[in-house]
Amino acid sequence: MSATFSSIPPLESVFNLNEFEVIASKTLPDQVYAYYACSADDEVSYRQNHHSFHKIYFRPKILVDVTDIDLTTEMFGRKFKFPFYVSATALCGLGNPEGGEVSIVKACGNEEFCIPQMISTFSSNPLEDIVAAKNNAAQEQWFQLYVNGDRTITKELILKAEKLGVNALFVTVDAAQPGNRERDLRFKFSNNDKKKGPNVMKQGQTANGTSGALSKLIDTALTWKDIENFKTFTNLPIVLKGVQRVDDVIKAAEIGCSGVVLSNHGGRQLDFSVPPVEVLAEVMPVLRSRGLDKKFNVFIDGGIRRGTDVLKALCLGASGVGIASPFLYANSLYGTEGVEKAFDLLIKELILSMRLLGVTSISQLNPDLLDLRGLYDRSLPSNYPFHHHDTTYETNARY
């Protein structure tokens, strides 16, 4: 253990999503935190993903009755209580061996929240168990697919997910090979009962780093033809996860995909890839000009830690916002209660920020509420931390 705390602090002492990672960095086993937190090369894209939201400012409206705030939104043409979802993360069982992804399912199904959950191909729990753990008929589960070199395995996995009742298929398209994640590479990965990924992995595999073990199960030959082929045998909405260019977004819409996730894999793949919020600002005007914005879902993930970050993405036109690491750390530290606490913190921030912005519903959010003049400034503050968690939160937190 690398912990400096005598024990994990009480959940009520956590005041924002950033603090879950601060605690995790000091309490999770070194190998586990290294895998969860690692990014590619010098981790510039990781830091810029978050910092890019700091370069967008609000233009609030005044003298608006903001007594009642409505956070409901539409994704895939269906109504959801909140405009964010739990994005997929592999091997939740590394941090929470007893619960894994199932602990997140229980939090998502809480009647108060009913948050969509994206399930990784490389989940610790079997897909069947994750689906069976649903405790709310209204909660949605989406399956994140890593395409296997053996297309028969991939087809069987898609059909199994569809038969089990998942609501959408998110095909990962930015991971032909794992990025150079040096922090993770310092550790050997060994699979055991509590840490395995039963959907695709066999016990006994070892490699340099957890990412290295998973990389053997990903195909480098994935192309647009595969995406079109998937449409011939599944009725699930297909979303491409990891799109980073405007022309690729347009092509996805034109071939009949239901949406895209603008993402650079949390900065874990190609370092110096563009922050997703910049791509969002570029692509939405193009989609609107072509009449492709109404029924086509544009999601975004990467660097989103505050309710204000969510609102900025929604103002730019995002259909919904994916958040992964904070919920992963909350689950690792506190299980279901931790994930519920993270949901509650984020929702309270959204309500407060919408009131102060002078809007009462998600439908009122638009680019006019933003100042984007600094968005494309590539500089980082001189005191910006190299490591993942900002020391500001460590200093201010009462642990």
Side-chain angles (χ1 to χ4, degrees):
M1 296 284 286
S2 61
T4 56
F5 300 138
S6 59
S7 63
I8 295 174
L11 185 55
E12 58 266 25
S13 69
V14 179
F15 288 92
N16 60 66
L17 269 60
N18 290 285
E19 292 181 356
F20 286 110
E21 181 169 1
V22 175
I23 302 170
S25 70
K26 296 179 178 295
T27 57
L28 291 181
D30 290 337
Q31 178 179 353
V32 174
Y33 182 69
Y35 173 63
Y36 283 170
C38 66
S39 298
D41 292 346
D42 297 320
E43 304 189 341
V44 173
S45 284
Y46 171 85
R47 299 196 302 280
Q48 284 284 13
N49 283 355
H50 179 62
H51 182 55
S52 61
F53 283 96
H54 294 179
K55 296 182 284 188
I56 301 174
Y57 286 77
F58 289 115
R59 299 179 182 274
K61 294 184 176 182
I62 61 170
L63 299 176
V64 178
D65 182 351
V66 291
T67 305
D68 298 317
I69 301 295
D70 180 10
L71 292 177
T72 59
T73 192
E74 281 195 5
M75 294 180 278
F76 298 110
R78 301 185 290 275
K79 181 171 282 191
F80 292 84
K81 294 180 71 172
F82 303 105
F84 63 90
Y85 60 89
V86 178
S87 196
T89 49
L91 301 177
C92 293
L94 290 175
N96 181 350
E98 301 306 318
E101 290 79 12
V102 168
S103 294
I104 298 176
V105 177
K106 294 176 181 178
C108 289
N110 185 317
E111 189 68 33
E112 181 181 354
F113 305 117
C114 205
I115 305 294
Q117 176 188 13
M118 190 188 301
I119 304 165
S120 174
T121 298
F122 300 136
S123 60
S124 295
N125 299 110
L127 181 58
E128 294 87 344
D129 292 355
I130 298 172
V131 174
K134 286 174 59 176
N135 54 5
N136 186 332
Q139 74 181 105
E140 290 212 4
Q141 293 178 320
W142 305 334
F143 186 62
Q144 179 214 17
L145 176 72
Y146 281 93
V147 177
N148 195 291
D150 185 338
R151 293 297 190 272
T152 300
I153 293 175
T154 294
K155 182 175 182 179
E156 290 174 352
L157 193 53
I158 293 173
L159 293 177
K160 180 173 80 168
E162 184 170 15
K163 184 177 180 180
L164 287 170
V166 302
N167 304 97
L169 180 69
F170 285 65
V171 183
T172 302
V173 295
D174 61 353
Q177 178 179 334
N180 181 36
R181 307 171 190 177
E182 293 175 357
R183 283 204 274 172
D184 180 45
L185 288 170
R186 299 180 191 279
F187 295 92
K188 295 283 186 180
F189 175 77
S190 114
N191 206 9
N192 62 40
D193 285 340
K194 291 186 178 180
K195 299 178 181 179
K196 65 184 177 180
N199 293 320
V200 291
M201 297 184 70
K202 296 179 180 179
Q203 291 192 18
Q205 289 178 323
T206 59
N208 286 327
T210 307
S211 301
L214 300 180
S215 69
K216 297 179 180 179
L217 305 162
I218 301 173
D219 188 18
T220 58
L222 180 66
T223 70
W224 288 99
K225 290 182 180 179
D226 291 294
I227 306 303
E228 296 189 74
N229 181 55
F230 296 159
K231 293 175 58 185
T232 66
F233 60 81
T234 180
N235 291 317
L236 290 173
I238 294 178
V239 178
L240 303 188
K241 182 180 183 296
V243 181
Q244 301 171 67
R245 292 175 55 92
V246 173
D247 55 347
D248 283 337
V249 175
I250 300 303
K251 184 166 184 176
E254 290 177 342
I255 70 168
C257 290
S258 294
V260 296
V261 182
L262 303 179
S263 172
N264 58 23
H265 219 96
R268 291 161 74 89
Q269 289 300 102
L270 178 65
D271 204 13
F272 291 95
S273 54
V274 174
V277 73
E278 290 188 19
V279 184
L280 178 65
E282 293 170 2
V283 76
M284 291 312 300
V286 179
L287 287 174
R288 293 187 189 104
S289 70
R290 300 188 181 204
L292 297 173
D293 60 310
K294 298 301 181 184
K295 296 183 179 180
F296 187 73
N297 297 274
V298 179
F299 302 106
I300 180 175
D301 70 27
I304 296 156
R305 298 293 182 268
R306 287 284 189 179
T308 48
D309 299 337
V310 175
L311 292 185
K312 290 170 185 178
L314 296 174
C315 283
L316 288 172
S319 308
V321 172
I323 300 173
S325 294
F327 300 144
L328 176 67
Y329 292 125
N331 181 49
S332 297
L333 297 164
Y334 303 102
T336 298
E337 289 186 2
V339 180
E340 291 174 343
K341 171 77 171 188
F343 290 163
D344 185 63
L345 289 170
L346 188 60
I347 291 165
K348 286 178 178 175
E349 288 186 6
L350 281 168
I351 292 171
L352 172 62
S353 298
M354 286 182 68
R355 284 202 173 108
L356 298 178
L357 188 57
V359 296
T360 59
S361 69
I362 299 299
S363 62
Q364 295 174 4
L365 299 174
N366 64 80
D368 182 61
L369 296 166
L370 301 178
D371 181 344
L372 300 175
R373 286 176 295 177
L375 178 57
Y376 300 101
D377 176 9
R378 299 294 192 196
S379 63
L380 283 169
S382 59
N383 64 342
Y384 203 80
F386 179 82
H387 297 294
H388 273 61
H389 64 270
D390 189 328
T391 53
T392 302
Y393 297 106
E394 186 171 3
T395 302
N396 294 342
R398 290 174 285 181
Y399 301 140

